[in-house]
Amino acid sequence: MDAVTTHGPTPGSPATAAARVLVQALATLGVRDVVLSPGSRSAPLAYALADAARADGDRPEHAPAVRLHVRIDERSAGFLAVGLARAAAHDDDGPRPVAVVTTSGTAVANLHPAVLEAHHSGLPLLVLTADRPHELRGTGANQTTVQPGIFGGVVRLTADVPAPVGLPDEPRDLRHLAARAVAAATGARTGDPGPVHLDLAYREPLVPDAAPWPEPADRGLALVHTRGQTWGAPATSSGATGALPAVVEPRPASAPTGRTRRGAVPTVVVAGDGAGPAARRIAEACGWPLLAEPSSGARGGTHAIAAYRLLLGDPRLGGAVRRVVVLGRPTLSRPVQRLLARDDVEVVVVAPHGGAWPDAARNAAEVLTEVPTRMLRGRLPAPVGWLDAWQTAGKAADAALDAVLDGPPESDGRRSRSGARVTGPGLARVVAGVLQPRDVLVVGSSNPVRDLDLVARWDAPPLVLANRGLAGIDGVVSTAVGVALGLPHRPVRALLGDLTFLHDVGGLLRGPLEHAVDLQLVVANDDGGSIFSTLEPGEPDRAGVFERVFGTPHGVDVAALCAAYGVRHTRVGDVDGLLPALATPGPGLSVVEVRVDRTGRRALGERLAEDVARAVDESLR
């Protein structure tokens, strides 16, 4: 009788018991935030998370403490988790995994864009999808599809977890799985953080019974040490995605033919998305110009050249570069990519994390996992006058940009009733100017991030975050909400275009039972996709089909849309109204809609480039 009891199923609902054990294990491993979309098959997890989200003193005994966020749209839920993970990387407690929970069927597929962004950005995302038990798969059962492997090769780990039946070893197995999942998501052993997918099958009953929460246990819960950690040191449940790379002297390597490795080589530092402070330190130590994207975490100080992309075509500046040190992932500028592809330029990539490294031109001469000591100690000096030339040209470029942006529009001279109309670069310049070092800016893809890249001039930069993993317009509103929820003690804004805003307008939806969020969304509304006017489809001889298939005007009343979601809305149509609207964002979620005229966007870009080239030429004579 005793033997039968020991090896038989445990009392109560197996699904409920398994869900509770999993939530306990994930909380022990560092998970604090979980995003949930409602559904029936995921009910065991939903009930367990609801218990864990109760206030202190109200939680059931043995239930861990987590912060729960509920969203009805799985795509928004996925990007909310992405935003929370981005925020966690800059929290005082360091990076940590964030979980998102869905039910079965199309709910799982709706997470795919967020999973892709987490993959390419190296974000520790735990995707927990509920599923039908194995006997119902392939039978035509409602809301049943092929969920295991649905995310393909973009997840660090995928597991098809059988429905629990209450066997005694199931809690140990779940804890073991949770430890593996968190280690894979954070890159603890691989140095390659990213999303993990656990497909969790459950059988009825899916709702809890009167059984209490199980006592916490560590059987099966391995402490997974990060790379480089010694035995006996405290284990960490997260990867060092935001940490400064270690500094070592790499082994000497023979120089590629025709490239100078020693001496005063004209060098620039390219800091792409997520480069971190090491890029600025290298540039300042060696006296190299710093070409830093806004979301690099390195854009600031005297060596940062704001309008760098307009200087790369000058033969005395970009044309004279013979070495580029790349940190982070550069994605914004075609001139930068052309520089990295040149045969006469030595490209050195510093990529401390991940299996791959950024080298779209397939031209890297060396790929390092650590920053060389000789760089940080300034042992690779630039030629005399190299930095001075870039700084002089940069100041001239800034002045030329300001002259154009502060002057009247060239196209038709139109003004609003109260002041000069707003351009995209002009809006980005004002937004950049009001940000303080402790502020956070989430910037959308397409023109907003490129405008910011052109005009942002900071000594002590704010924290700028962007979904540059795939550079899509998906989920930016939800990502910004996640960042604001994850960094509640810092002012958070977002700068995005109207199509990006409309693509994720569902991110505005927050139920009355959910955590309040303080976030100002600055929407550049040019009634369409103005970035295409700056690319080949925007050439004048292609104007016949441009508006319908590229410009895509929508005519949406943003004020009415915000009213439907209960979000404060302010419309700005001129430069004079910008600063007051941005200066006092106030509490809660608000939208500042800035009307931008996109008809002259291509001409404006051409004029900016021409005036900058003229000013730089005069400054370098």
Side-chain angles (χ1 to χ4, degrees):
M1 185 69 179
D2 289 341
V4 173
T5 303
T6 300
H7 297 286
T10 56
S13 164
T16 294
R20 288 172 173 176
V21 168
L22 182 60
V23 170
Q24 282 178 334
L26 293 177
T28 301
L29 292 165
V31 175
R32 297 184 187 175
D33 289 278
V34 181
V35 185
L36 168 73
S37 286
S40 175
R41 189 58 52 170
S42 57
L45 284 169
Y47 280 108
L49 291 168
D51 280 349
R54 293 185 186 181
D56 293 344
D58 189 37
R59 279 193 303 277
E61 186 179 11
H62 305 315
V66 300
R67 190 166 66 149
L68 179 63
H69 314 270
V70 180
R71 295 296 186 272
I72 64 172
D73 184 329
E74 288 84 9
R75 190 173 67 174
S76 292
F79 278 101
L80 181 68
V82 165
L84 287 163
R86 288 198 182 280
H90 300 276
D91 195 4
D92 293 338
D93 295 331
R96 58 184 176 273
V98 174
V100 57
V101 177
T102 74
T103 191
S104 62
T106 57
V108 182
N110 282 325
L111 293 179
H112 211 149
V115 171
L116 286 170
E117 179 62 32
H119 164 61
H120 288 283
S121 295
L123 296 174
L125 192 68
L126 299 172
V127 180
L128 311 180
T129 60
D131 202 348
R132 294 319 200 248
H134 289 66
E135 65 268 16
L136 291 182
R137 299 179 189 178
T139 66
N142 186 39
Q143 291 187 346
T144 305
T145 187
V146 181
Q147 294 179 193
I150 193 171
F151 302 118
V154 302
V155 290
R156 305 299 183 267
L157 172 71
T158 183
D160 184 8
V161 185
V165 295
L167 294 176
D169 282 343
E170 285 178 352
R172 180 198 61 185
D173 296 342
L174 282 171
R175 295 186 199 102
H176 175 82
L177 178 63
R180 285 191 177 276
V182 170
T186 58
R189 293 181 53 79
T190 64
D192 187 21
V196 162
H197 178 207
L198 302 184
D199 194 61
L200 303 159
Y202 293 118
R203 292 188 183 89
E204 291 86 352
L206 303 174
V207 295
D209 48 32
W213 274 71
E215 292 188 18
D218 58 9
R219 188 168 179 237
L221 200 62
L223 290 176
V224 182
H225 290 253
T226 58
R227 292 194 305 170
Q229 202 171 32
T230 58
W231 179 75
T236 176
S237 61
S238 59
T241 55
L244 183 69
V247 291
V248 300
E249 191 72 36
R251 293 182 302 170
S254 58
T257 302
R259 293 179 180 177
T260 303
R261 187 165 298 276
R262 295 289 182 260
V265 181
T267 304
V268 297
V269 177
V270 168
D273 179 67
R280 178 173 173 178
R281 287 179 59 187
I282 291 170
E284 293 178 352
C286 295
W288 295 335
L290 174 60
L291 318 184
E293 295 184 1
S295 61
S296 64
R299 187 171 177 131
T302 58
H303 290 52
I305 311 298
Y308 63 88
R309 75 171 185 252
L310 298 183
L311 308 184
L312 288 174
D314 192 296
R316 295 157 295 185
L317 300 167
V321 174
R322 291 298 176 266
R323 180 170 57 207
V324 181
V325 179
V326 180
L327 293 91
R329 184 163 172 259
T331 59
L332 291 183
S333 170
R334 288 185 178 183
V336 167
Q337 293 303 323
R338 286 194 289 268
L339 171 68
L340 297 175
R342 276 171 36 192
D343 290 337
D344 61 342
V345 172
E346 174 192 0
V347 178
V348 178
V349 177
V350 182
H353 304 293
W357 59 88
D359 185 21
R362 290 86 67 203
N363 196 39
E366 257 188 294
V367 180
L368 309 177
T369 57
E370 297 94 3
V371 180
T373 304
R374 63 183 184 270
M375 287 186 187
L376 285 177
R377 293 181 179 174
R379 294 177 182 172
L380 297 173
V384 175
W386 176 243
L387 177 62
D388 291 339
W390 278 87
Q391 290 173 326
T392 298
K395 291 177 181 177
D398 292 344
L401 289 170
D402 289 342
V404 174
L405 297 179
D406 291 334
E410 189 178 62
S411 57
D412 57 10
R414 290 183 298 164
R415 297 170 64 89
S416 70
R417 294 181 179 179
S418 56
R421 290 180 178 269
V422 183
T423 63
L427 171 60
R429 186 180 56 159
V430 175
V431 171
V434 302
L435 296 173
Q436 299 300 308
R438 273 197 56 78
D439 289 358
V440 182
L441 178 68
V442 179
V443 60
S445 293
S446 300
N447 273 332
V449 69
R450 288 171 174 80
D451 290 339
L452 188 69
D453 185 48
L454 187 65
V455 300
R457 307 159 198 164
W458 297 305
D459 180 44
L463 174 60
V464 180
L465 302 174
N467 284 342
R468 300 304 301 169
L470 281 185
I473 65 172
D474 316 57
V476 176
V477 173
S478 298
T479 299
V481 171
V483 169
L485 288 169
L487 298 172
H489 303 300
R490 301 179 67 170
V492 181
R493 286 186 176 88
L495 173 63
L496 61 162
D498 52 322
L499 296 187
T500 300
F501 173 74
L502 294 174
H503 199 277
D504 188 33
V505 70
L508 297 178
L509 182 59
R510 180 186 62 86
L513 303 179
E514 295 308 300
H515 301 281
V517 59
D518 295 330
L519 170 66
Q520 183 184 64
L521 298 166
V522 182
V523 179
N525 186 2
D526 55 15
D527 192 33
S530 64
I531 190 171
F532 298 112
S533 67
T534 68
L535 304 174
E536 289 82 357
E539 295 170 351
D541 59 351
R542 303 179 189 276
V545 299
F546 179 83
E547 273 299 284
R548 185 178 185 191
V549 299
F550 291 101
T552 57
H554 51 78
V556 171
D557 185 341
V558 175
L561 195 61
C562 290
Y565 282 101
V567 173
R568 293 198 323 275
H569 171 272
T570 302
R571 179 181 290 126
V572 175
D574 57 81
V575 173
D576 297 336
L578 264 177
L579 279 176
L582 296 176
T584 55
L589 184 60
S590 62
V591 170
V592 176
E593 176 193 2
V594 184
R595 303 306 294 268
V596 177
D597 184 5
R598 66 178 168 88
T599 57
R601 179 74 203 213
R602 188 180 185 90
L604 174 63
E606 293 171 349
R607 182 185 172 191
L608 289 173
E610 292 169 359
D611 285 18
V612 165
R614 189 180 305 113
V616 168
D617 185 60
E618 293 176 356
S619 72
L620 296 180
R621 286 179 181 175

